[in-house]
Amino acid sequence: MPIIDVQNLHKRYGDKVAVEDVSFTVERGEIFGILGPNGAGKTTTVECIEGLRRPDGGTVSVLGLDPRRDTAELRQRLGVQLQESELPERMKVREALDLYASFYRDPANPDELLDILGLTAKRDSAYKKLSGGQKQRLSIALSLIGNPEVAVLDELTTGLDPQARREVWDLIEHVRAGGVTIVLVTHFMEEAERLCDRLALIDSGKVAAIDTPAGLVAGVDDEQRIRFRPSQPIEDAVFAELPEVRSVERRGNQLVITGTGNVLHAVTSALARRQIIAGELRVDQANLDDAFVALTGRKLD
């Protein structure tokens, strides 16, 4: 039984349809991504999962509970990190955790969370004195203080610098390793590829596709392009006869080989047998950006 089951979800605001017939399931223990541009309906979808919005149609089940009917019980088992959140400027980090812990019947140990999230040295710091990355860490800590079985993280790393973003990604992988199922809302392709086991691509309120990141990419184009400068002359025929290779081109002193499947292994093995080194080796292949364009007809901002 899926831990989250969304079927034929609809939500409109006046004349604007925000979510139209969205369906997906989330399995226990996975990081499930909801990927799409701003205004695609991602946040509205997860707000229905969280019980913050009432759907106009369809059904939502989280841990076997109805988010609208079983709100009190669900809040004890679901952790939420909102897209935008603020705390009083003078509230200290440990005070915030203690306050949120009081809302739950079986809260996590605040000191352990501070240690896991690298905030122990900031436990007595006021919220206004935290950096952007530290505020995001605290936001994650507050979403986990209730010992949730599921955590919904909405636009987790927006506004963070690249280093802080990668630090937060490491934390999310650590949280999942602790047994928490995660729903991650994002519009960052790199974030989705790095963290998510499966993805729902949402555009204009509809699901364009659901698959693993690799599956989405392979469904669009499984072709790879290998560029390198051989350390010794080698005939094109050596590569052209390989079943994985589709074409061989020469661009100055570089070879560009296009193929599918295990083409990289086939090419490097052929070079190794001839004791030739592939200098300036580069492998290009389709990515989630390409998949999104192919499935929706436009580029994700």
Side-chain angles (χ1 to χ4, degrees), residues 9 11 13 18-19 22 24 33-54 80-84 152-156 158 183-187 200 202-203 205:
L9 184 67
K11 180 64 182 177
Y13 303 105
V19 177
V22 165
F24 61 84
I34 299 178
L35 177 71
N38 293 328
K42 307 186 302 297
T43 294
T44 296
T45 298
V46 296
E47 285 177 345
C48 291
I49 291 172
E50 297 157 357
L52 299 176
R53 301 278 181 188
R54 184 184 295 276
V80 176
Q81 182 255 339
L82 298 174
Q83 188 178 79
E84 294 183 14
V152 179
L153 308 175
D154 193 352
E155 298 293 0
L156 180 68
T158 297
V183 176
L184 179 67
V185 181
T186 184
H187 63 270
I202 294 185
D203 184 47

Side-chain angles (χ1 to χ4, degrees), residues 165-225:
R165 182 173 293 146
R166 281 163 176 74
E167 289 174 357
V168 171
W169 292 349
D170 290 340
L171 291 174
I172 295 311
E173 290 174 330
H174 181 84
V175 169
R176 192 265 288 276
V180 180
T181 301
I182 295 172
V183 176
L184 179 67
V185 181
T186 184
H187 63 270
F188 289 123
M189 291 295 189
E190 186 182 1
E191 185 165 277
E193 287 185 301
R194 160 77 182 268
L195 293 176
C196 297
D197 300 301
R198 290 190 301 134
L199 282 169
L201 296 187
I202 294 185
D203 184 47
S204 301
K206 299 179 181 180
V207 174
I210 299 176
D211 204 339
T212 64
L216 289 168
V217 172
V220 172
D221 184 4
D222 63 350
E223 193 171 79
Q224 300 176 56
R225 287 165 293 283

Side-chain angles (χ1 to χ4, degrees), residues 222-230 236 239 242-251 253-271 277-286:
D222 63 350
E223 193 171 79
Q224 300 176 56
R225 287 165 293 283
I226 305 167
R227 306 166 187 264
F228 63 93
R229 179 175 51 79
D236 292 3
F239 305 108
L242 298 173
E244 297 88 352
V245 172
R246 290 180 177 174
S247 67
V248 181
E249 298 178 60
R250 288 191 179 269
R251 298 179 184 175
N253 62 356
Q254 278 196 333
L255 275 172
V256 180
I257 299 174
T258 302
T260 59
N262 292 322
V263 62
L264 178 61
H265 175 73
V267 169
T268 53
S269 294
L271 291 170
I277 298 172
E280 302 170 12
L281 178 68
R282 174 179 170 182
V283 181
D284 297 319
Q285 57 188 17

Side-chain angles (χ1 to χ4, degrees), residues 29 69 122 127 146 273:
R69 186 186 64 233
K122 296 293 181 179
Y127 181 76
R273 286 193 295 271

Side-chain angles (χ1 to χ4, degrees), residues 111-137:
D111 289 326
E112 290 182 1
L113 270 182
L114 289 174
D115 183 53
I116 290 170
L117 295 168
L119 288 172
T120 299
K122 296 293 181 179
R123 57 175 289 146
D124 295 320
S125 296
Y127 181 76
K128 68 178 180 180
K129 293 186 177 180
L130 300 180
S131 68
Q134 290 164 349
K135 287 180 178 178
Q136 284 295 72
R137 288 168 179 263

Side-chain angles (χ1 to χ4, degrees), residues 30-159:
E30 73 175 338
I31 299 179
F32 184 87
I34 299 178
L35 177 71
N38 293 328
K42 307 186 302 297
T43 294
T44 296
T45 298
V46 296
E47 285 177 345
C48 291
I49 291 172
E50 297 157 357
L52 299 176
R53 301 278 181 188
R54 184 184 295 276
D56 296 320
T59 62
V60 179
S61 173
V62 184
L63 296 163
L65 303 171
D66 182 320
R68 297 298 300 178
R69 186 186 64 233
D70 307 313
T71 305
E73 176 61 22
L74 183 60
R75 286 178 179 169
Q76 292 293 321
R77 302 171 65 184
L78 177 72
V80 176
Q81 182 255 339
L82 298 174
Q83 188 178 79
E84 294 183 14
S85 60
E86 290 289 332
L87 292 172
E89 289 188 347
R90 295 183 180 181
M91 178 174 279
K92 296 179 180 179
V93 169
R94 178 54 195 263
E95 288 175 343
L97 283 170
D98 287 342
L99 174 63
Y100 275 59
S102 70
F103 302 153
Y104 298 96
R105 61 185 175 225
D106 182 28
N109 184 310
D111 289 326
E112 290 182 1
L113 270 182
L114 289 174
D115 183 53
I116 290 170
L117 295 168
L119 288 172
T120 299
K122 296 293 181 179
R123 57 175 289 146
D124 295 320
S125 296
Y127 181 76
K128 68 178 180 180
K129 293 186 177 180
L130 300 180
S131 68
Q134 290 164 349
K135 287 180 178 178
Q136 284 295 72
R137 288 168 179 263
L138 178 57
S139 180
I140 296 169
L142 295 176
S143 73
L144 300 175
I145 191 64
N147 267 328
E149 297 170 57
V150 181
V152 179
L153 308 175
D154 193 352
E155 298 293 0
L156 180 68
T157 60
T158 297

